[in-house]
């Protein structure tokens, strides 16, 4: 964008109202429209650095790695395009561990409460943490004067989006699942647009919903099959089955997969990413079986060597497997262990011919083996369907909406 002289205007849009009054108007008066932002606390038309205008963005999202990794994918591109990048997250959340070490990003910690759908005594105290976090976010956003806020969801995003709305900063959100999570439902009224991974979600969030796909890190496409074989200690003579269960693993699927190993290793080499603390030492020297707690830099090579994948149905994992055209058998978390989003994600992929599905309640060593052998027999057909899918890496589409939001704000 053009470099312009410093222009500052700290006049509240509604007379002498304080930020506190703006906060309660925004949060507790839902009839107030956001666009134009009648409850903006400052006319933040310009972000400045050294007296010159720069593009500045605040990213937020956390609680799980899935609410952080799309932000990690966007950061290198935003830096390349000259954005001054700030991240608002919690003091002890996974987002701080993942984001703070990244060069070119300034991390700001705020309070936040978890949004639960079940009874917990903390449900009585966490709303006050959200309110405190909103005030802290107002302070950070008012000081930074960003052009736009991008929210990936998770409970930490709620106070940040509220703070952005109060300060009149446009918000672009992203929802990875087929239906919006509770945090994004609360934040949607304050968003200019909501990027989605699933077409069903874009329709549900219309007119704000925009089908973009999920931003993916460029490194994920740099895997090498030969390096993957060396990583796992396989010779490449058998097809490789890779099982991934997320950052913490999937205990039930881990257990059933290990019970099925005598049958599976007759047909596959098995690369099992089982999650931290889930290694089974008794299987350490089993031929055709390699177990890893987790993979980071090696993950692209591990994915490159996989012929088929057994996985939970988290949306970010699905986006990666879709982009890499990996035939997959999905075992979604059951309804009692989640809000049901993985079941809906998996069924959507199944309807579109992008994956096979095995429900956890139907999973035994025998049914798992049968389902994986069926997937193997149909892998070429599935790979063609995956390759033809129109929306894969959402990085460019999301960046375009962010750029559009900051231009409209000027």
């Amino acid at each position: 964008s053009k470099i312009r002289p410093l222009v500052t205007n700290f006049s509240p849009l509604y007379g002498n109202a304080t930020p506190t009054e703006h906060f309660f108007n925004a949060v507790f008066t839902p009839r107030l429209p956001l666009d134009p932002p009648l409850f903006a606390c400052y006319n933040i038309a310009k972000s400045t650095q050294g007296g010159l205008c720069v593009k500045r963005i605040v990213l937020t999202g956390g609680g799980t790695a899935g609410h952080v990794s799309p932000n990690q994918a966007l950061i290198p591109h935003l830096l390349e395009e000259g954005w001054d990048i700030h991240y608002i997250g919690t003091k002890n959340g996974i987002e701080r561990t993942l984001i703070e070490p990244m060069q070119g990003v300034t991390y700001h910690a705020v309070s936040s409460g978890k949004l639960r759908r079940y009874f917990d005594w903390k449900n009585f105290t966490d709303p006050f943490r959200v309110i405190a976090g909103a005030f802290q976010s107002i302070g950070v956003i008012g000081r930074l004067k960003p052009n736009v806020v991008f929210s990936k969801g998770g409970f930490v995003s709620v106070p940040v989006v509220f703070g952005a709305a109060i300060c009149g900063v446009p918000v672009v959100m992203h929802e990875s699942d087929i239906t919006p999570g509770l945090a994004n439902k609360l934040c949607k009224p304050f968003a200019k647009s909501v990027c989605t991974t699933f077409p069903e979600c874009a329709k549900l969030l219309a007119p704000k919903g925009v089908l973009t796909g999920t931003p993916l890190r460029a490194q994920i496409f740099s895997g090498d099959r030969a390096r993957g074989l060396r990583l796992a200690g396989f010779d490449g003579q058998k097809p490789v089955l890779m099982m991934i269960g997320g950052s913490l693993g999937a205990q039930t699927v881990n257990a059933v997969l290990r019970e099925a190993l005598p049958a599976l290793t007759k047909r596959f080499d098995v690369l099992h990413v089982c999650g931290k603390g889930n290694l089974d030492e008794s299987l350490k020297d089993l031929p055709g079986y390699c177990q890893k707690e987790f993979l980071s830099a090696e993950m692209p090579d591990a994915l490159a060597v996989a012929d088929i994948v057994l996985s939970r149905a988290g949306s970010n994992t699905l986006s990666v497997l879709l982009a890499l055209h990996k035939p997959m058998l999905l075992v979604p978390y059951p309804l009692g262990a989640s809000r049901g989003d993985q079941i809906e994600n998996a069924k959507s992929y199944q309807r579109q011919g992008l994956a096979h599905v095995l429900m956890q309640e139907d999973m035994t060593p025998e049914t798992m083996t049968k389902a994986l052998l069926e997937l193997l027999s149909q892998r070429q057909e599935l790979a063609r369907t995956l390759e033809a899918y129109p929306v894969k890496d959402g990085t460019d589409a999301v960046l375009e909406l962010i750029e559009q939001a900051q231009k409209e704000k000027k």
Side-chain angles (χ1 to χ4, degrees):
S1 62
K2 272 188 180 176
I3 295 177
R4 303 184 183 184
L6 170 61
V7 178
T8 307
N9 179 358
F10 283 128
S11 302
L13 291 188
Y14 329 64
N16 296 319
T18 67
T20 304
E21 290 167 334
H22 287 299
F23 174 80
F24 283 100
N25 280 331
V27 176
F28 297 110
T29 314
R31 66 178 179 276
L32 284 175
L34 175 66
D35 193 13
L38 296 182
F39 43 82
C41 60
Y42 299 119
N43 179 16
I44 309 168
K46 306 286 184 289
S47 296
T48 63
Q49 190 174 75
L52 299 175
C53 288
V54 296
K55 296 189 296 184
R56 180 169 292 147
I57 187 169
V58 168
L59 306 175
T60 189
T64 67
H67 288 123
V68 183
S69 56
N71 283 327
Q72 290 178 296
L74 293 173
I75 285 169
H77 299 277
L78 292 168
L79 288 171
E80 194 175 296
E81 293 176 9
W83 286 85
D84 179 31
I85 305 174
H86 295 258
Y87 202 105
I88 300 180
T90 56
K91 182 179 179 181
N92 300 312
I94 191 172
E95 63 274 15
R96 186 167 198 169
T97 304
L98 296 173
I99 294 295
E100 199 165 37
M102 297 185 72
Q103 291 195 0
V105 183
T106 304
Y107 191 92
H108 308 266
V110 300
S111 298
S112 183
K114 188 173 181 180
L115 304 171
R116 302 174 185 85
R117 297 167 181 270
Y118 54 86
F119 177 79
D120 190 294
W121 288 109
K122 290 182 180 178
N123 289 343
F124 296 100
T125 58
D126 277 6
F128 295 100
R129 296 180 189 273
V130 174
I131 292 172
F135 279 110
Q136 291 166 353
S137 299
I138 291 168
V140 174
I141 291 169
R143 185 171 70 252
L144 294 175
K145 301 182 286 293
N147 300 82
V148 63
V149 167
F150 178 75
S151 169
K152 185 55 198 74
F155 55 84
V156 68
S157 69
V158 176
V160 180
V161 171
F162 283 4
I166 292 163
C167 289
V169 177
V171 175
V172 177
M173 291 168 38
H174 189 282
E175 175 56 63
S176 294
D177 288 316
I178 194 170
T179 58
L182 181 55
N184 276 351
K185 282 181 179 177
L186 292 172
C187 293
K188 180 198 167 189
F190 307 106
K192 202 165 191 66
S193 56
V194 185
C195 311
T196 73
T197 298
F198 287 86
E200 296 95 329
C201 190
K203 291 177 183 176
L204 194 64
L205 295 173
K208 294 184 178 182
V210 182
L211 178 62
T212 60
T214 295
L216 301 175
R217 284 178 284 181
Q219 296 94 320
I220 211 72
F221 299 99
S222 65
D224 179 79
R225 180 175 175 83
R227 289 198 301 261
L229 287 170
R230 288 195 296 272
L231 170 72
F234 299 151
D235 59 13
Q237 296 301 306
K238 294 179 183 176
V240 175
L241 161 65
M242 182 181 183
M243 186 271 172
I244 44 180
S247 57
L248 298 178
Q251 304 287 357
T252 307
V253 185
N254 284 345
V256 175
L257 174 70
R258 284 169 171 153
E259 284 186 59
L261 282 174
L264 290 174
T265 51
K266 292 177 182 177
R267 295 292 305 275
F268 299 98
D269 284 329
V270 180
L271 175 54
H272 185 185
V273 185
C274 56
K276 191 172 182 180
N278 294 327
L279 293 175
D280 186 335
E281 291 298 325
S282 69
L283 299 171
K284 184 178 178 181
D285 299 317
L286 181 68
Y289 177 68
C290 173
Q291 53 183 335
K292 301 284 186 182
E293 282 190 301
F294 57 88
L295 296 172
S296 181
E298 308 97 331
M299 181 59 87
D301 295 334
L303 288 165
V305 81
D307 292 292
I308 65 172
V309 178
L310 172 65
S311 175
R312 287 298 196 183
S315 55
N316 289 320
T317 299
L318 296 186
S319 296
V320 169
L321 298 177
L322 170 61
L324 295 176
H325 315 143
K326 295 295 177 180
M328 55 192 112
L329 175 64
L330 304 177
V331 183
Y333 270 113
L335 189 58
S338 70
R339 68 182 178 91
D341 50 304
Q342 288 206 7
I343 295 174
E344 293 174 344
N345 293 347
K347 287 183 176 178
S348 174
Y349 266 47
Q350 187 178 43
R351 282 195 302 270
Q352 297 175 79
L354 301 173
H356 290 188
V357 176
L358 176 63
M359 301 303 289
Q360 183 164 306
E361 54 267 31
D362 300 325
M363 184 176 62
T364 65
E366 293 74 27
T367 59
M368 176 184 283
T369 301
K370 181 181 178 182
L372 288 168
L373 290 173
E374 184 179 341
L375 179 66
L376 181 67
S377 69
Q378 298 178 22
R379 65 181 177 180
Q380 292 180 344
E381 179 185 339
L382 273 165
R384 284 193 294 270
T385 304
L386 290 160
E387 192 170 353
Y389 194 75
V391 179
K392 297 183 178 72
D393 183 359
T395 304
D396 289 341
V398 172
L399 288 170
E400 187 177 332
L401 285 171
I402 289 172
E403 192 69 37
Q404 182 181 324
Q406 74 93 15
K407 284 179 180 177
E408 290 177 0
K409 183 178 183 295
K410 290 181 179 179

